[in-house]
Structures are given as structure tokens and as C-alpha cells.
Amino acid sequence: MTCPACRLPVHTQFASPGLVGPIVEGGLDPADDPGWADSGADSPAEYARWAGHLCGVTCLRMALGAGAPPLFALRDGALKYGAYTEDTEGAIRGLVYAPFAEYVREVHGLEATVHRHLSTDEIVALLDEGRTVMASVHYGIRHPERPAPGRGGHLVLVTSRTPDGNGVHFHNPSGTTATTRAAELPLTDFERFFAGRGVSLAGDTRQGPQTGADPGA
């Protein structure tokens, strides 16, 4: 699926978009996703262990446009740079912004800037400069009609502003429906879920790459 407003593909961090809801809200084991191999994972077990952590590289995959590598190939690259880490007990940590930005610049040729303090007005300004913004939000943003449970912990790709400047279009890797995967919200609603940090990307994000959860560190 491609978003008409920005011409960037819409991807989910789980291989089967129709199963995102059952996985994230219905308790379905990701290992039961029949599309797991399309992600590039080596096994259903690896896919199930990692997919819930890969909102950040899913955003990158969308920003890279047509011809982007499979999700787990991007995961492997991010791991090499330290953008994801695993502790001695196997717990997965990340996305860590600074090494992620280095990975994006060096491997994929996009300009990547870490914003540890970012307002919604600054997001709009970055969009007007032609950048996309990976913004840290609460995953509850898929239900904007409900009170925000918190801020941060999940990444979405903000792709453009609305013509009146009062809202933004964004792609949500854990959106459960077409309208929450390629979504639009007024800034006042977006801000309720937004943690005030992120990573902005610039470069040719529509022609593919030049080569082959969220602490905000």
C-alpha cells in the first residue's frame, strides 16, 4: 500500500497487516503470522521475538521508499551499529537514536538528525523543509478518540502536514486498520501522545536506499 498524500509506502512491523490488530490487541502469537518469512526473519520464533520491537526500522523502511530492504535486514544493520541491544538475559532494548542515525547516514545515505527535544510546531517546520520525522508517541495513538494512556514508547513516521498547518499525516507501524496505518490527526490530538523527541530524515526517500520500543537515547 502507498499513501497518496506522500507517495511513501505504508508498512507494518508485523508481516501481515490484517493480523496487526489480533496480535497487538487480541493476544495472537506473532509466530502464527503466516507471512513471517516475508519479513526476512530466520524463523517464526525469531520473528515473534523481534517484530514487536521494530517500529523504528519499519519507519526507516517506509522512508527509504520503493526497493527498501526487508525488515529484518534493516534490523541486522541497526544491531551492528548498536541501535538495538540485548542484555545478558536476552531482553531487547532500543531503538537507540544516536547509533541509529549513524547507521542511516552511513549505510542508507539519508541525512538523519536526532531531536531530543522537539515540539509539534518544530515537526511542522521540519516537514516544510522536506524532511520526514520519526516521532516518539504512545502506541495508543491508534485510538485517538480515547484518552492518551501516556507519551512515547513507540515510533511513527510523520510524512507531511495538513494544508491548513494544524495537523499531520503519519504512518503507524502498529496501525490496526488502513486509516490508523496511514493516519491524520490535528496537532492538538497528536501532541497528547507525543513524547517530544524523535529523529528527522532527509534525502531521496522515494527512490529506495542507496545500498543493499524507544528510549530516545
Side-chain angles (χ1 to χ4, degrees):
M1 177 181 173
T2 300
C3 167
C6 61
R7 302 194 302 277
L8 289 179
V10 180
H11 295 308
T12 55
Q13 64 196 89
F14 299 97
S16 299
L19 292 181
V20 175
I23 290 171
V24 301
E25 296 182 341
L28 179 68
D29 186 344
D32 292 331
D33 182 346
W36 71 267
D38 296 336
S39 70
D42 289 334
S43 67
E46 181 187 40
Y47 170 78
R49 180 169 177 258
W50 273 92
H53 297 274
L54 298 183
C55 53
V57 289
T58 303
C59 289
L60 172 61
R61 188 170 182 239
M62 292 188 280
L64 289 171
L71 183 62
F72 274 71
L74 295 173
R75 186 280 315 254
D76 291 344
L79 263 174
K80 290 178 182 177
Y81 276 74
Y84 290 103
T85 63
E86 298 179 78
D87 65 22
T88 55
E89 297 181 354
I92 298 167
R93 310 292 182 190
L95 190 74
V96 186
Y97 290 176
F100 173 76
E102 182 181 7
Y103 163 59
V104 172
R105 289 190 295 263
E106 294 189 0
V107 176
H108 298 288
L110 298 183
E111 181 185 342
T113 303
V114 175
H115 302 273
R116 291 187 173 85
H117 303 284
L118 188 63
S119 69
T120 53
D121 287 343
E122 288 169 330
I123 287 179
V124 171
L126 290 166
L127 296 172
D128 286 346
E129 293 172 10
R131 304 178 76 91
T132 56
V133 180
M134 293 172 51
S136 176
V137 301
H138 192 278
Y139 62 79
I141 200 168
R142 70 174 77 99
H143 294 295
E145 73 282 1
R146 302 176 186 173
R151 298 173 184 258
H154 178 60
L155 287 160
V156 299
L157 183 69
V158 187
T159 59
S160 61
R161 66 178 178 90
T162 56
D164 62 9
N166 295 323
V168 289
H169 300 282
F170 61 96
H171 294 182
N172 183 356
S174 70
T176 55
T177 65
T179 55
T180 59
R181 289 191 281 273
E184 176 183 318
L185 279 180
L187 287 170
T188 51
D189 286 333
F190 187 88
E191 190 170 23
R192 292 189 291 116
F193 301 87
F194 178 45
R197 58 179 180 263
V199 179
S200 66
L201 306 173
D204 187 353
T205 61
R206 296 191 177 116
Q207 301 301 319
Q210 296 185 5
T211 64
D214 164 33

